[in-house]
Amino acid sequence: LRNTFERYWREFVQRRDGEREWDAYTPYEWRNVGAFVRLGWRGRAWEAADWFMADRAPPPWNQWAEVVTPTPREPFFLGDLPHAWVASDFVRSALDMFAHVRESDDSIVLAAGVPAAWFEQGFGLRGLHAPGGRLSYSLRAGEGALVLEVDEGLELPEGGLVLPWPWRDRVPGATTIDGHAASWEGGELRIRALPARVEIASALPAG
């Protein structure tokens, strides 16, 4: 499975960077962004999303045709425009970046596709439909710590909520959940009750 998506990524990069000739692709490939999120490829998910966004037709309309070519000013078959199937792939993958269900441990994973830089700027979502209710959370940086606040309104799955650590070159500092010390396991922090306030001390260089 991993090798399949590694091959896709190599071919995607070659197409994006002009190292591979191509005459058309279908933006159904948006669904691979969600796959990257699930594989833990945060950076790749965002790079792919950024490239696909440039192929909206036309960009101000925030929609995609069924077919994209590198020469859009030349006559070609573009299929349906707008294309609802492509739109559904976009919406699903965009939401996956902020929260997705992980069946392997019956959990909901938070912000696995959000760029690491956003963790320093702050972001959040409100009222996302999820199994068990509505999910609302915010994350912001300030006073030497990252603060994650998750609201009530969601019945947690058995595995709770999971926050993956966004940086590879840093490790999290001292962490608390509702004032109680909490531990990271395998680069993830697990939350088992709501509402919750998570405070993560300034990240330290890895190693």
Side-chain angles (χ1 to χ4, degrees), residues 11-20 22 47 51:
E11 295 184 2
F12 168 84
V13 170
Q14 290 168 355
R15 180 180 62 194
R16 180 194 65 185
D17 296 349
E19 299 171 357
R20 176 191 182 104
W22 60 283
E47 286 186 48
W51 197 73

Side-chain angles (χ1 to χ4, degrees), residues 153-172:
L154 179 69
E155 182 178 345
L156 292 183
E158 185 175 345
L161 302 179
V162 173
L163 177 69
W165 183 243
W167 290 286
R168 293 185 176 182
D169 59 345
R170 307 183 225 173
V171 296

Side-chain angles (χ1 to χ4, degrees), residues 23-105:
D23 59 1
Y25 81 90
T26 61
Y28 303 139
E29 291 184 28
W30 261 110
R31 68 192 63 171
N32 290 326
V33 172
F36 288 176
V37 171
R38 286 166 169 76
L39 286 166
W41 295 349
R42 183 187 305 269
R44 290 180 177 183
W46 191 251
E47 286 186 48
D50 188 54
W51 197 73
F52 294 143
M53 289 295 287
D55 282 333
R56 288 167 291 170
W61 290 10
N62 292 320
Q63 64 184 20
W64 287 266
E66 186 176 8
V67 180
V68 173
T69 78
T71 54
R73 290 295 183 181
E74 297 180 7
F76 72 100
F77 174 78
L78 55 73
D80 295 331
L81 175 67
H83 199 280
W85 191 348
V86 173
S88 70
D89 284 335
F90 159 70
V91 170
R92 187 169 56 248
S93 287
L95 294 177
D96 284 349
M97 289 179 161
F98 291 92
H100 72 271
V101 173
R102 187 167 68 187
E103 296 180 356
S104 61
D105 61 351

